[in-house]
Amino acid sequence: MGQGILLSAAADIDFMIHGVFSYELFGQTVWITTTHVCVLIVMLVIIGFCIAANRAVKHASEVPGTFQNIVELVVEMLDNMVGGVMGKFAVNFRNYIGTIFIFILLSNISGLFGLRPPTADYGVTFALGIMTFTTIHFNKFKHQKVKGVIKGLCDPWPIWAPINVIGDIAVPISLSLRLFANVLSGVVMTALVYGLLAKIAYAWPAALHVYFDLFSGAIQTYVFCMLTMTYITDACTTE
Amino acid sequence: MEFNTNFILGCSAIGAGLAVIAGIGPGVGQGIAAGHAAAAVGRNPGAKSDVTSTMLLGQAVAETTGLYGLLIAMLLLFVKPLVP
């Protein structure tokens, strides 16, 4: 990959994805990239938190300590969020929505700690979009049966079916592109500031990090989970 | 006619600049949403948290078209699909 146009002023600042090492798999060259490393770090942090939370809950006391309080707060907040949107379908989806919420939130925030956020790679967000797509259609077939799905496909008239199919396919693409582009714009803008204004970039880029990593990351996480829940509730509802 | 790489890179930069004009629409849309949300909170201050979360959700969805423009600009500048 050649040198970027905008970053030619500072060749040492780079926000592209790089390969770490490659191996051959069935004749294909597969690269382990910096994204994989960042996802691994985020997952290790989540697993460490989970082990600590498990220990805290096993030795739970009547009057909760600090850490137990935090764990209960997180679980309660996620439960209320899912329950408020999905109503009676919430029971089956609390685990899934809570998992992707925590994963996307930590991925977006990891930009604060000097990692390249894993969600700024389309491979990661598209995988999340595909998971949502699969869940939507599995639940559609489970709750509305084949007859209901065909009826929904030919909504006003049967001639409308191709447009409905395109609308269904656009859901994961727009979901994943929204998350990806938001995080990527934050990455690019902070990289530009650090690269082009390197001489005067002391302390004040923290404001950029607060906006792009914390505020924008939290909002986009909320939006992704909210839209996923809305689509799944829509698929579960039978007339 | 033969164009060299620098000419194509310059035209790509102009195209990227034109593509991010797409940001005007979401800006206007988000402003309208925020204005109506402010009016709603003024009329019914008790519903502030509900109004705020609905506004943020709607704004994030409205932002998508602007982000598509941004993506086109990014592709033109960094992936350089037009350079042979």
Side-chain angles (χ1 to χ4, degrees), chain A residues 78-87 90 94 226 229:
Chain A
L78 289 172
D79 270 6
N80 285 340
M81 189 183 80
V82 180
V85 178
M86 302 190 75
R94 272 186 184 139
M226 215 59 177
M229 285 188 285

Side-chain angles (χ1 to χ4, degrees), chain A residues 126-209:
Chain A
F126 189 62
L128 291 168
I130 289 290
M131 276 157 65
T132 298
F133 181 77
T134 317
T135 320
I136 291 171
H137 285 273
F138 179 75
N139 282 292
K140 214 178 214 175
F141 276 103
K142 190 175 156 195
H143 287 269
Q144 299 184 359
K145 307 287 185 286
V146 179
K147 206 177 148 201
V149 172
I150 292 173
K151 207 177 147 201
L153 211 55
C154 313
D155 193 11
W157 307 296
I159 204 167
W160 234 245
I163 296 176
N164 286 330
V165 169
I166 291 174
D168 279 351
I169 292 173
V171 165
I173 294 175
S174 79
L175 261 181
S176 54
L177 271 184
R178 181 178 303 126
L179 182 59
F180 165 68
N182 261 291
V183 181
L184 183 74
S185 68
V187 169
V188 170
M189 246 177 268
T190 41
L192 285 183
V193 166
Y194 283 132
L196 296 178
L197 305 177
K199 294 234 165 59
I200 55 167
Y202 295 111
W204 63 268
L208 287 179
H209 277 293

Side-chain angles (χ1 to χ4, degrees), chain A:
Chain A
M1 201 167 281
Q3 211 178 15
I5 301 170
L6 279 175
L7 291 185
S8 54
D12 52 338
I13 299 284
D14 198 355
F15 55 83
M16 291 293 183
I17 304 160
H18 294 289
V20 179
F21 69 91
S22 64
Y23 59 93
E24 297 279 330
L25 188 71
F26 304 123
Q28 296 270 345
T29 311
V30 183
W31 279 92
I32 297 291
T33 61
T34 45
T35 307
H36 292 98
V37 179
C38 292
V39 168
L40 195 68
I41 293 171
V42 169
M43 280 187 341
L44 284 180
V45 170
I46 296 176
I47 290 172
F49 182 81
C50 288
I51 292 172
N54 196 12
R55 284 171 66 101
V57 172
K58 258 189 193 143
H59 306 289
S61 51
E62 196 69 29
V63 182
T66 319
F67 188 70
Q68 195 189 335
N69 245 330
I70 294 173
V71 173
E72 284 179 7
L73 185 79
V74 170
V75 171
E76 225 161 78
M77 190 202 75
L78 289 172
D79 270 6
N80 285 340
M81 189 183 80
V82 180
V85 178
M86 302 190 75
K88 61 176 176 168
F89 304 113
V91 186
N92 295 332
F93 295 104
R94 272 186 184 139
N95 293 332
Y96 175 67
I97 302 287
T99 309
I100 60 170
F101 189 93
I102 292 173
F103 174 70
I104 298 175
L105 187 67
L106 281 190
S107 301
N108 289 349
I109 287 178
S110 68
L112 263 186
F113 301 101
L115 298 180
R116 189 184 188 284
T119 33
D121 184 340
Y122 193 52
V124 176
T125 56
F126 189 62
L128 291 168
I130 289 290
M131 276 157 65
T132 298
F133 181 77
T134 317
T135 320
I136 291 171
H137 285 273
F138 179 75
N139 282 292
K140 214 178 214 175
F141 276 103
K142 190 175 156 195
H143 287 269
Q144 299 184 359
K145 307 287 185 286
V146 179
K147 206 177 148 201
V149 172
I150 292 173
K151 207 177 147 201
L153 211 55
C154 313
D155 193 11
W157 307 296
I159 204 167
W160 234 245
I163 296 176
N164 286 330
V165 169
I166 291 174
D168 279 351
I169 292 173
V171 165
I173 294 175
S174 79
L175 261 181
S176 54
L177 271 184
R178 181 178 303 126
L179 182 59
F180 165 68
N182 261 291
V183 181
L184 183 74
S185 68
V187 169
V188 170
M189 246 177 268
T190 41
L192 285 183
V193 166
Y194 283 132
L196 296 178
L197 305 177
K199 294 234 165 59
I200 55 167
Y202 295 111
W204 63 268
L208 287 179
H209 277 293
V210 168
Y211 178 74
F212 287 123
D213 289 335
L214 289 181
F215 180 72
S216 191
I219 294 281
Q220 289 309 317
T221 310
Y222 180 70
V223 166
F224 189 95
C225 293
M226 215 59 177
L227 287 177
T228 302
M229 285 188 285
T230 319
Y231 285 130
I232 292 175
T233 315
D234 212 34
C236 289
T237 313
T238 47
E239 283 130 39

Side-chain angles (χ1 to χ4, degrees), chain B residues 36-55:
Chain B
H36 283 284
V41 172
R43 216 172 293 134
N44 182 6
K48 188 163 187 274
S49 61
D50 278 352
V51 170
T52 310
S53 63
T54 312
M55 180 195 76

